[in-house]
Amino acid sequence: MSQAVLERSTSPQVRLTKLFINNEWVDSAQGQTFETYNPATGEVIAEVAEGTAADVDRAVKAARAALEKGTYAKMDAADRGQLLFNLADLVLKNKAELAALESLNCGKTITDSLGDMQGVANSLRYYGGWADKVEGRTPPVRGSFLTYTLRQPVGVVGQIIPWNFPLAMLAWKLGPAIACGNTVVMKPAEQTPLTALRIAELAIEAGFPPGVLNVINGFGETAGNALCVHTDVDKIAFTGHVDTAKIIQKATADTLKRTSYELGGKSPNVVFADANIDEAVDGSFHAIYFHGGQCCTAGSRLFVEEKIKDEFVAKLAAKAKARRVGDPLDPNTQQGPQVSQEQLDKILGYVDLGRKQGAKLVVGGERVGGKGYFVEPTIFDGVRDDMAIAKDEIFGPVVSVLPFKSQDEVFERANRTNYGLAAAIWTKDIDKAHLYAKHVKAGTVWVNCYHVVDATTPFGGFKQSGHGRENGEAALELYTETKTVTVKLG
Ligand code: ADP
């Protein structure tokens, strides 16, 4: 790290820093800005316009106008789909630039950012395809009536985005919203405000009429909250921390807005002795360390059958020691920095707590270098279910190894969490795999694989991991109201 990071990190140009309202770049109402950082160096890379309630109000008015009059309101569904196809093409055309900007601001490796951009395009295309296929029904009602249902947009949608997958999460929300004819006020995370602005610029090029997509950067407690309490916002779609979701649930109560939440997890990743051990080691490694553990589906509770546990942990530790942690813009890097000083401190705090509560630190546990927010891949062995590192979402490269003896025992322990986002199992026994898939309380279950997510498949949480499902046909439910029309015949 060092000089190479510094020189390269200033090179991608940050041109766009203003608010994006009604297809125009504007300063915030009171002219405030906030600093955004490069997590690889801790240095400021740009001053970004900071939106507050007055700006949110301007954006909501633009979104409402676009929804109710003008070209978008009258646009054929197929043409709305074309907007998403166009935007997907532009994302791929500008993939290298978008990925570099994402890595610069969020710290994810350039390899992962390039993967994300492909995912963004896939998602936008998938929902572009849905735009002219969102249909109502004709229920066979009693009596002499013709009844049909219409599926109409929910309206003006506030979308609140996290910092770990800034553009991927934007695409998961923007795609279905536009496919169903809604308009959007997007609030990116304050840690990663930059790439959403570039998407907004590409949206103009893709043909998005004014007001359809608006981007208001700013802080959660101000800009985010203003969206939640606004009387003319019909729905909030949120991805982020469970505690924030609880605040939003209360903030949206007075207006009874529709809400959908995609929250955190403490996902159980269960490895049986009959699994292909080397594949399970590689998969479990990816499960926790992908994007430095900053993944809501991270496989952070690693249950390993006792008779293979020592061999398994030794193999995992060897991989952890060999991991190349450093400059996210270097294609050889495997793990970049954590996103912020706050996250770095939180993760190191949990490492301390793990030690104090009696878990065995096998490898890692330290900050890497004195600049930027890098953390060593960390493994704790001998973790008990009641320890903080086994219960709380750490959102960093820290895995808790929990030994188990029997199938019944581990199936029961896997569900001992308030979360329910994802789960995985490694085994060659087909019965065990399907029993686990049926039993475990999680929105996504992986058998002999991990982090396989696709635009076509519903994604979301049981319990405190969320409400509703994004991706797949399921997301259309989040962005439509169903209207029943009954006509008397004869
Ligand atoms: P994290 O703790 O990982 O940063 P958050 O849940 O705080 O996750 O952030 C996710 C998104 O939620 C960000 O865009 C953030 O600005 C927004 N946010 C935070 N607090 C609020 C709030 N009170 N109301 C609305 N949005 C919020």
Side-chain angles (χ1 to χ4, degrees):
M1 278 186 308
S2 61
Q3 213 45 35
V5 174
L6 289 178
E7 282 162 9
R8 222 161 331 157
S9 62
T10 48
S11 65
Q13 222 186 354
V14 181
R15 287 182 297 109
L16 304 167
T17 57
K18 295 198 178 193
L19 306 177
F20 182 74
I21 302 176
N22 217 25
N23 281 10
E24 284 169 11
W25 300 101
V26 294
D27 289 318
S28 60
Q30 286 149 26
Q32 331 79 303
T33 58
F34 65 102
E35 293 174 333
T36 191
Y37 300 89
N38 174 356
T41 62
E43 286 164 1
V44 175
I45 45 177
E47 295 273 342
V48 178
E50 183 192 337
T52 55
D55 305 297
V56 166
D57 190 50
R58 268 198 293 174
V60 170
K61 287 199 169 85
R64 176 62 59 189
L67 184 79
E68 288 179 0
K69 46 186 186 285
T71 45
Y72 184 76
K74 298 193 195 87
M75 196 177 264
D76 288 337
D79 294 335
R80 281 203 319 272
Q82 190 61 48
L83 296 178
L84 294 173
F85 294 141
N86 295 348
L87 187 56
D89 289 347
L90 287 166
V91 166
L92 291 182
K93 194 172 147 202
N94 295 280
K95 188 173 165 178
E97 182 210 336
L98 284 165
L101 195 57
E102 194 85 307
S103 287
L104 177 74
N105 202 194
C106 161
K108 63 173 58 194
T109 65
I110 191 69
T111 313
D112 288 348
S113 290
L114 287 166
D116 278 13
M117 295 315 126
Q118 185 61 54
V120 167
N122 293 349
S123 185
L124 295 172
R125 280 193 178 140
Y126 173 76
Y127 285 106
W130 265 114
D132 59 358
K133 297 168 194 72
V134 181
E135 297 172 346
R137 309 185 117 180
T138 50
V141 292
R142 289 177 194 277
S144 184
F145 301 100
L146 165 66
T147 294
Y148 58 90
T149 61
L150 294 172
R151 296 189 66 190
Q152 298 186 321
V154 173
V156 173
V157 178
Q159 302 189 323
I160 301 177
I161 309 293
W163 48 259
N164 59 343
F165 291 84
L167 282 194
M169 294 302 104
L170 175 149
W172 284 20
K173 290 179 169 47
L174 182 64
I178 301 300
C180 298
N182 301 272
T183 56
V184 171
V185 179
M186 186 80 67
K187 213 297 281 171
E190 53 269 38
Q191 295 86 349
T192 52
L194 299 177
T195 45
L197 298 175
R198 181 69 177 114
I199 287 289
E201 190 178 43
L202 294 176
I204 300 180
E205 203 179 330
F208 279 53
V212 173
L213 168 64
N214 306 274
V215 180
I216 303 289
N217 276 307
F219 293 90
E221 297 74 12
T222 48
N225 180 259
L227 265 178
C228 296
V229 299
H230 201 291
T231 50
D232 209 23
V233 171
D234 299 291
K235 171 186 165 60
I236 295 289
F238 171 79
T239 298
H241 199 276
V242 62
D243 293 340
T244 312
K246 291 175 186 177
I247 294 169
I248 291 177
Q249 184 84 333
K250 290 178 189 132
T252 52
D254 277 348
T255 48
L256 270 187
K257 285 183 181 55
R258 282 87 188 103
T259 49
S260 50
Y261 301 112
E262 197 268 276
L263 311 175
K266 194 73 189 173
S267 299
N269 180 29
V270 176
V271 182
F272 281 93
D274 65 13
N276 177 322
I277 299 301
D278 288 334
E279 281 180 16
V281 167
D282 288 352
S284 302
F285 191 83
H286 178 59
I288 182 63
Y289 298 119
F290 175 51
H291 192 20
Q294 302 173 117
C295 235
C296 44
T297 47
S300 50
R301 284 189 301 146
L302 176 55
F303 291 95
V304 185
E305 193 165 351
E306 200 159 76
K307 56 187 163 198
I308 57 156
K309 201 262 297 171
D310 288 344
E311 175 200 350
F312 196 90
V313 170
K315 287 186 169 177
L316 206 63
K319 281 178 76 76
K321 281 186 198 139
R323 190 155 173 86
R324 291 188 296 274
V325 180
D327 177 3
L329 293 169
D330 180 341
N332 292 313
T333 295
Q334 295 170 317
Q335 185 178 308
Q338 310 307 126
V339 78
S340 63
Q341 180 75 46
E342 190 186 344
Q343 289 299 313
L344 173 74
D345 294 344
K346 180 179 161 194
I347 294 161
L348 296 178
Y350 272 110
V351 171
D352 246 16
L353 206 55
R355 280 199 185 106
K356 283 191 188 123
Q357 295 187 344
K360 182 181 160 212
L361 183 67
V362 178
V363 69
E366 300 292 333
R367 181 179 182 179
V368 181
K371 195 183 235 308
Y373 313 126
F374 298 87
V375 178
E376 290 177 332
T378 301
I379 301 173
F380 276 108
D381 194 1
V383 179
R384 290 192 321 268
D385 294 341
D386 62 348
M387 290 179 180
I389 55 170
K391 290 202 300 202
D392 300 351
E393 186 180 41
I394 300 175
F395 232 61
V398 181
V399 71
S400 293
V401 178
L402 302 133
F404 71 89
K405 288 202 177 78
S406 77
Q407 176 178 317
D408 287 352
E409 171 207 336
V410 75
F411 282 16
E412 190 270 318
R413 287 172 66 197
N415 280 337
R416 255 192 235 165
T417 166
N418 290 332
Y419 291 111
L421 193 62
I425 183 169
W426 300 82
T427 177
K428 286 191 185 138
D429 181 337
I430 194 169
D431 293 342
K432 230 187 258 174
H434 287 295
L435 272 173
Y436 178 73
K438 188 173 172 197
H439 167 86
V440 71
K441 292 192 170 64
T444 293
V445 183
W446 290 298
V447 178
N448 295 327
C449 58
Y450 211 100
H451 287 317
V452 182
V453 173
D454 194 85
T456 61
T457 45
F459 181 91
F462 281 43
K463 300 196 269 185
Q464 293 190 27
S465 285
H467 292 182
R469 294 290 179 268
E470 296 189 302
N471 291 350
E473 187 177 357
L476 305 174
E477 292 296 322
L478 305 178
Y479 290 98
T480 49
E481 292 279 12
T482 299
K483 181 183 283 178
T484 299
V485 181
T486 296
V487 183
K488 186 168 182 289
L489 298 177

